[in-house]
Amino acid sequence: MKSRFVRLIVATVSTAALAVGCGKSGPPAFPVPEVDVVVARAQTVPLTRDFVGRLSATRAADVRARVPGVLLKRLYVEGSEVKEGQPLFQIDPAPFKAALDAADAALAQAEANATNARLFAQRTRELKTTGAVSKSDVDTAEANERSTAAAVKQASANLETARINLGYATVRAPISGRSSQQRVTEGALVGQGEATLLTTVEQIDPIYVNFDRPASEVQELRRAQAAGSVSLLEGNKATVQLMFADGTAYGQPGTLDFSDASVDPNTGAVAFRALVPNPDHRLLPGLFVNLRITLGELKQAFLVPQLAVLRDGTGPYVMVVGADGNVAQKRIELGSTQESNWVVTKGLADGDQIVVSGLQKVHPGAPAKAVVGGAPNPNAPAPAPAGAPPAAH
């Protein structure tokens, strides 16, 4: 009986002790997640901007019929390279040759008349000394001499005009460049009342890229330069890189060539133009291209991996592990991209530990263990386990 009583007391004490121990234990502690981070470092990075532009020829000239006549033949291969002064079309020259011959004959007649008038005036002046002719006869002879001399000049000008018109019968390239297709077929009457367009010639090496930017953006860059946060290059030193629609880069870099001094009142934009080499004629006028321009340097910027940047309805942000070992959300402002990185212009501080891997395991206010380059950050404090009470200070 006694032994049984002792066993009952021991069981009761054990149960009570177990109950007391269970009463003191809290919920089970969850392990603190480890996340890969990169440490933000302020640095000077190239200031780049992405645009969409349209290509245009550096020089374009319309080839027109400058004299009326029947188009006899085309003298060039459509789409080929032509040189300045090269014959492109032939207009029937027969009427112009006849006009030239007539002008030449008229000049010969005028010169003969002028010679006769000069000799007659000379004889009249000689007879005046003997009193054989009156002063009025001398004045008339000299006036006729001057009139016939002027007629010679008029006839000479008419001859030159006829020679020019005959030259215009052979239509030549006004500039060197790539020729376009023929606009008028052989046998057509051209130049009647207007200078008929026959074809065009364009110079596309180098080639222009035209694009617009909002005036507000241009003013913002100038304010940033005045504040010292941006260093802008001179216009002709800003480099331009073209990219095609499929994402491939064009191999020849260009330079910023022109910026307008006024703002378009209809669009509120400023016109810009870049000059790009085009020796292989891969770039054709009228083509839309993407272009990236290096305008200068951006000071105190951060390069952040693109996979670390998140977005919501408010805008972009990153998750950072703070000095207390807890995760915080930081709103940022983005610039351009550089390879696999975003250029962050605002929102970060030097030394911020930006979470790049394990974002799905963290949320603002929760602890996390920062791992830099595969090893925990030795300077970061040990985070408290999830569910544990904060350490006493």
Side-chain angles (χ1 to χ4, degrees):
M1 184 69 177
K2 185 177 180 181
S3 173
R4 226 169 130 189
F5 180 73
V6 171
R7 285 198 302 273
L8 181 60
I9 292 174
V10 171
T12 302
V13 172
S14 300
T15 302
L18 181 60
V20 172
C22 291
K24 289 184 179 180
S25 64
F30 295 100
V32 176
E34 289 188 356
V35 292
D36 293 333
V37 300
V38 293
V39 180
R41 299 298 180 196
Q43 55 186 299
T44 299
V45 299
L47 175 62
T48 60
R49 289 289 186 271
D50 294 332
F51 308 99
V52 175
R54 192 170 189 177
L55 302 176
S56 66
T58 50
R59 295 176 70 191
D62 291 338
V63 180
R64 296 180 179 272
R66 304 175 69 174
V67 291
V70 175
L71 187 65
L72 295 182
K73 56 184 175 179
R74 170 171 50 86
L75 305 174
Y76 74 102
V77 177
E78 295 172 299
S80 64
E81 292 291 322
V82 297
K83 298 295 184 180
E84 181 178 353
Q86 176 180 334
L88 301 181
F89 295 94
Q90 182 63 60
I91 298 174
D92 185 6
F96 306 106
K97 289 180 179 178
L100 178 63
D101 292 341
D104 191 18
L107 175 61
Q109 180 64 50
E111 289 175 342
N113 293 338
T115 301
N116 293 336
R118 185 178 68 257
L119 293 176
F120 180 75
Q122 182 178 355
R123 287 195 299 270
T124 303
R125 284 190 290 269
E126 292 174 351
L127 292 173
K128 179 184 177 182
T129 59
T130 63
V133 295
S134 65
K135 184 177 183 303
S136 177
D137 293 335
V138 174
D139 293 340
T140 300
E142 290 179 345
N144 188 41
E145 180 184 23
R146 290 191 294 268
S147 296
T148 54
V152 170
K153 292 183 179 180
Q154 179 65 51
S156 179
N158 291 339
L159 177 63
E160 184 62 24
T161 300
R163 185 177 290 113
I164 291 174
N165 288 337
L166 177 60
Y168 285 161
T170 301
V171 183
R172 302 178 182 273
I175 60 173
S176 299
R178 173 166 289 188
S179 60
S180 181
Q181 68 184 47
Q182 180 180 358
R183 302 296 180 88
V184 180
T185 60
E186 290 83 349
L189 183 62
V190 297
Q192 285 294 116
E194 63 178 9
T196 307
L197 178 63
L198 303 179
T199 188
T200 57
V201 178
E202 295 180 324
Q203 288 184 355
I204 58 175
D205 181 28
I207 195 168
Y208 284 141
V209 187
N210 300 290
F211 59 97
D212 297 332
R213 295 311 297 167
S216 57
E217 182 178 320
V218 177
Q219 292 173 346
E220 181 182 353
L221 283 175
R222 290 173 179 171
R223 286 194 297 267
Q225 183 182 30
S229 59
V230 168
S231 176
L232 298 178
L233 295 172
E234 296 179 8
N236 57 354
K237 294 182 180 179
T239 58
V240 177
Q241 179 63 57
L242 297 189
M243 286 162 287
F244 296 105
D246 59 359
T248 58
Y250 178 66
Q252 297 276 354
T255 56
L256 193 63
D257 174 68
F258 166 80
S259 62
D260 206 342
S262 61
V263 178
D264 188 332
N266 297 320
T267 62
V270 179
F272 290 86
R273 187 181 68 196
L275 190 65
V276 181
N278 189 28
D280 298 330
H281 294 175
R282 292 179 58 196
L283 305 176
L284 299 177
L287 183 68
F288 284 97
V289 293
N290 298 316
L291 60 152
R292 172 167 293 182
I293 300 182
T294 302
L295 299 172
E297 292 182 338
L298 182 63
K299 302 175 182 178
Q300 296 297 311
F302 300 88
L303 293 179
V304 177
Q306 294 185 19
L307 55 86
V309 178
L310 306 175
R311 287 179 173 83
D312 58 16
T314 305
Y317 66 91
V318 294
M319 306 296 285
V320 299
V321 179
D324 58 356
N326 292 328
V327 177
Q329 182 189 80
K330 281 198 169 186
R331 295 285 173 183
I332 58 175
E333 291 186 12
L334 301 177
S336 60
T337 59
Q338 289 193 11
E339 297 180 351
S340 61
N341 298 318
W342 275 110
V343 177
V344 177
T345 57
K346 290 183 181 179
L348 292 178
D350 209 39
D352 278 347
Q353 300 181 109
I354 304 170
V355 180
V356 295
S357 179
L359 287 166
Q360 71 280 3
K361 299 185 290 185
V362 299
H363 60 272
K369 182 184 293 184
V371 178
V372 181
N377 185 0
N379 298 323
H393 295 283

